[in-house]
Amino acid sequence: MLYFERGTAYAYYSIKVVDPLVLLGGVAYDRVRYPENFRNPPVTPGEAEREQIGPKAALTWTPAAPVTVRGAYSRSLGG
């Protein structure tokens, strides 16, 4: 049977550096299994698998009540 299967696990940690600045860091593990030629019908037997460990980082800066600046970086498998 041909099907898509995806599994993901992740962990994050955040720290308040100074009152208006919060940093967040983490890591994620992605695993995807899929039919080998699903893009070109007819789909034939065979499977492919990809794995990746990807970094995650973000920051939130709130210099004043009506202003919040956010930034993020991440890597993951497309899906």
Side-chain angles (χ1 to χ4, degrees), residues 5-70:
E5 182 181 282
R6 182 179 198 121
T8 302
Y10 55 88
Y12 292 99
Y13 182 76
S14 64
I15 184 168
K16 186 180 276 190
V17 179
V18 290
D19 190 27
L21 181 64
V22 177
L23 298 177
L24 184 128
V27 65
Y29 169 77
D30 290 316
R31 180 179 167 274
V32 180
R33 191 165 70 182
Y34 51 92
E36 195 157 3
N37 74 335
F38 69 95
R39 296 181 192 270
N40 302 315
V43 176
T44 57
E47 292 183 339
E49 185 175 309
R50 292 184 64 194
E51 295 180 290
Q52 179 178 307
I53 297 174
K56 310 286 184 195
L59 66 88
T60 302
W61 178 47
T62 310
V67 178
T68 299
V69 177
R70 292 186 174 105

